[in-house]
Amino acid sequence: MKFITGGLRRLSCVLGLLLLGLGTAFLRAQQDEPAPPPRVQVQPAPQPPPQVQPPENQPVKIEPVQEPPPLYLDTNQPVEKRVEDLLGRMTLEEKIAQVHADSKFSTAAIPRLGIPRRWIDDGPHGVREDVGPYSWNAAGRNDDYATWMPALSALGSTWNVDLATAYGNVLGQESRARDKDILLAPIVDIARTPLCGRIYEYFGEDPFLNTRMGVNYIEGVQSNEVAACVKHFAGNNQEDGRGSINMDMDERTLREIYLPPFEAAVKEAHVWAVMGAYTKFRGEYCAYNDYLINKILKGEWGFPGLVMSDWGGTHSTREAALGGLDVEMGTLVGSEDQSAYTNFFLASAFLDAIRTNGIPVSVLDDKVRRSLRVMFASHIFDPVRLPGALNSPEHRTTAQRVAEESMVLLKNNNNALPLDVSKIKSVAVIGENAVRHNAAGFFGAGVKTMYEVTPLDGIEQLVGGKVNVTYSAGYSKEGGDSNLVKRAVTAARQADVAIIVAGLNHSRYLDDEGRDRTNLSLPYGQNELIQRIARINRHTIVVLVSGPAIEMDPWLDRVPAVLQAHYSGMEGGHALARILFGDVNPSGKLTVTYPKQLLDSPAHALDTYPGTNGTLFYKEGLLVGYRWFDAKDIEPLFPFGFGLSYTTFEYSNLKLVPGHDTNGPVVTAEFDLANTGPRAGAEVAQLYVHQENPSLPRPLKELKGFKKVFLNPGEKQIVSIPLDVRSFAFYDPAKSTWVAQSDDFKIEVGSSSKDIRLTDNFHLR
Ligand code: BGC
């Protein structure tokens, strides 16, 4: 598959180079009829040379007139020159065509100028199955399978930034192979409430962690000539009411909690596209919120790329045009046929407003410039583009590695895990999630995958020949059948070990887009099921396939081991089995605080969720996640940063090594980390900062550095975590800037936000 695609592409590239000199348009751009993206980028078709009429009876040598290629096709020219050249050749109507969709996931081609149709697609965990082009129905292709990666909550839980790069690279390569120009990912929104229906698509609750994972993910995607589109800017923190809810928060909270991952996406990763959230912020829709987009994103941060709306997230022409929206996508009302797209707010109505001088043409030009920049940056006009790769063995290996490093061991009394095949004869695998396929469907996070290794598959393939593996569902999404429970209890009674693969799925009101969960409990009677199984089998292991977080009060004390397995991608079953049976040592850490009960979480303790009369004020301010639990001294069920291992780690010898403060660190924390247990394993060392006497209140601790370190038994390493000025700074609303005050700071290094092993003080001058 890969070879054939690559071969055709190379052939088409050679063709393209031959024809480029004629200055002709790409055939890809000549498709009048919108169609799903072509598998092969077809290159310019030659225009016939001008005909010269020979005088009668006189032989004439015909020499085709060779037009020099237009400047915008000259890859040696600076991008801004190419942009201006192309913009100068476009009519008003052609410009308008670039600022709104012409199908569910594309903008129009302009054949006359060789501007190809631009293909955009979800999503964060793999390139989505093709739909439409004018409906949400699957396109019915057989070449739109893609690697299904573990969910972003799993990637976050690896705390491994190199894996974030590798993950982004997989997505970038697969986007190229499927001719997508913009990938709608990653999501860097903050997990504010554990009820959020899309929390499994989020990295976690901490801005620093989301920043580091987001930057590397974007760099991975964009290294493949594909633009990443970071989303949802800014503050899409719940699904309930997302289409209209008005969010408000104080300025420090905006700057310190919700914006940093976007700021770094722009300034560090040079992301090419940003998607505005559905929600409103201080009364204006996010996608064209003058303050968020014009002032902060494009003004303060100097973002040169394009802002697109979420699908159906545009509600007016004038506000959208002036508020900074550059491309209107996915208006839902009446968009089931091609003609609907001319009724978009940024289509005919925008053209009219410009013609009647209601809106200056410079506003349109700025939007088109941004689109063209992204096209040049992603090499959309080049005759030779990177071929990408689809469904490759390397991609599956990355999927498995992410899954293996993401699973979080939450409890492991008396070394219940790993299981030793030489000591057990039988395993009862119980639970619908042991066999459920989780990849397909459910909006933009679904992937059409070639296969999915379920937990049961993984366990059977790894140990099926050595131990007797049985399966019983125990519960069903479809409703109570007491025989299911009875059969599971019987199976558990007869087995040495019971493995209950419990959790959620992507049904409405669970881990799903558009609606939040209604509580943190396990559905379908799973609490009772676990209680009953635990009563008759002391070796009951609970595996949770879900986004964070789950309430475990009814059964946590009764089982020896619990593993948070997330939605772990197409190789997830293999990863899970290898962890359960000890081939892999778990090294994931939580990226979200698990509360004992929902009311312990800030958004719920302060009764701010889901908003009142259409408005949601973020009353907890800076105290999101562990910041709240620390400040209020509330014991979480499991703290942020927590995760056990089959080995043990010892921290010692913390030194703060001063640096310089212009472009480097002001100080570097150095300490020894040793694997003092019996197995090889990885530890995520975390560094938190606390300011002793700030002029404005600050959280008790804030994550400002981390490092994942792999160590063999007995091995010791010096770990260095650099801190720059921003690590010590807070946003001062009175000065409208970040301020690092000269003060004493406590530096805390540990294994979780609640398990601090080393402390030292640093004085910032
Ligand atoms: C989601 C976006 C997604 C878009 C296109 C929206 O409902 O919020 O994240 O990219 O649909 O599928």
Side-chain angles (χ1 to χ4, degrees), residues 283-304:
E284 285 175 2
Y285 280 104
C286 286
Y288 38 93
N289 185 293
D290 184 58
Y291 185 57
L292 289 178
I293 308 255
N294 288 335
K295 304 265 178 352
I296 297 181
L297 177 69
K298 294 181 177 175
E300 285 179 34
W301 301 346
F303 175 62

Side-chain angles (χ1 to χ4, degrees), residues 75-336:
T75 49
N76 294 319
Q77 294 292 331
V79 166
E80 287 308 306
K81 267 188 138 177
R82 297 174 74 188
V83 167
E84 288 312 315
D85 181 62
L86 181 49
L87 185 71
R89 294 166 193 262
M90 294 171 78
T91 65
L92 207 52
E93 290 76 8
E94 286 168 345
K95 291 177 186 173
I96 288 285
Q98 293 307 295
V99 300
H100 67 85
D102 75 333
S103 81
K104 287 286 181 210
F105 284 102
S106 62
T107 58
I110 302 179
R112 184 181 77 83
L113 294 167
I115 298 181
R117 204 151 192 228
R118 174 174 47 182
W119 290 99
I120 299 164
D121 213 346
D122 288 300
H125 310 146
V127 186
R128 178 186 183 152
E129 175 180 19
D130 284 350
V131 299
Y134 304 115
S135 81
W136 289 109
N137 296 334
R141 308 179 69 103
N142 59 14
D143 57 358
D144 55 356
Y145 291 89
T147 301
W148 179 43
M149 301 294 287
L152 287 199
S153 60
L155 176 60
S157 304
T158 68
W159 295 65
N160 184 337
V161 291
D162 295 334
L163 276 186
T165 311
Y167 189 121
N169 194 32
V170 168
L171 278 267
Q173 287 188 5
E174 301 222 341
S175 299
R176 272 309 317 125
R178 286 195 36 210
D179 275 321
K180 309 297 182 190
D181 302 306
I182 302 182
L183 179 77
L184 303 172
I187 299 179
V188 295
D189 296 316
I190 298 289
R192 173 178 182 256
T193 158
L195 290 187
C196 175
R198 293 179 84 176
I199 199 167
Y200 73 101
E201 292 187 62
Y202 294 11
F203 289 121
E205 71 186 20
D206 183 79
F208 183 80
L209 180 70
N210 288 18
T211 296
R212 297 310 349 138
M213 300 308 283
V215 163
N216 282 41
Y217 182 116
I218 292 164
E219 286 171 350
V221 171
Q222 295 198 157
S223 65
N224 291 285
E225 302 181 350
V226 172
C229 178
V230 68
K231 62 190 187 181
H232 309 86
F233 188 66
N236 196 142
N237 308 111
Q238 67 190 47
E239 292 300 288
D240 277 18
R242 69 174 181 173
S244 58
I245 192 114
N246 178 34
M247 309 164 321
D248 203 353
M249 61 186 84
D250 65 79
E251 194 64 18
R252 271 188 80 194
T253 301
L254 175 70
R255 301 288 185 150
E256 292 187 30
I257 303 289
Y258 295 95
L259 291 189
F262 290 100
E263 184 179 359
V266 171
K267 291 183 179 170
E268 275 187 61
H270 307 290
V271 72
W272 279 110
V274 173
M275 184 190 291
Y278 279 127
T279 42
K280 287 180 190 157
F281 177 76
R282 296 183 189 156
E284 285 175 2
Y285 280 104
C286 286
Y288 38 93
N289 185 293
D290 184 58
Y291 185 57
L292 289 178
I293 308 255
N294 288 335
K295 304 265 178 352
I296 297 181
L297 177 69
K298 294 181 177 175
E300 285 179 34
W301 301 346
F303 175 62
L306 68 87
V307 174
M308 73 172 73
S309 69
D310 202 338
W311 268 234
T314 312
H315 308 270
S316 90
T317 297
R318 193 175 172 77
E319 281 81 5
L322 298 178
L325 180 65
D326 301 312
V327 182
E328 179 189 0
M329 294 301 299
T331 298
L332 301 172
V333 184
S335 58
E336 297 300 313

Side-chain angles (χ1 to χ4, degrees), residues 380-418:
I380 216 169
F381 292 92
D382 293 7
V384 182
R385 286 179 85 182
L386 293 176
L390 197 56
N391 296 309
S392 67
E394 293 78 18
H395 293 180
R396 293 197 278 277
T397 304
T398 306
Q400 182 167 338
R401 247 199 90 196
V402 173
E404 288 176 354
E405 285 198 31
S406 73
M407 296 188 186
V408 185
L409 185 59
L410 295 174
K411 179 172 181 184
N412 196 20
N413 277 13
N414 302 324
N415 298 327
L417 289 176

Side-chain angles (χ1 to χ4, degrees), residues 720-744:
S720 300
I721 299 183
L723 297 170
D724 59 10
V725 185
R726 180 78 175 250
S727 313
F728 298 95
F730 63 87
Y731 189 85
D732 186 342
K735 298 190 175 123
S736 299
T737 190
W738 287 84
V739 172
Q741 296 178 323
S742 172
D743 195 4
D744 291 328

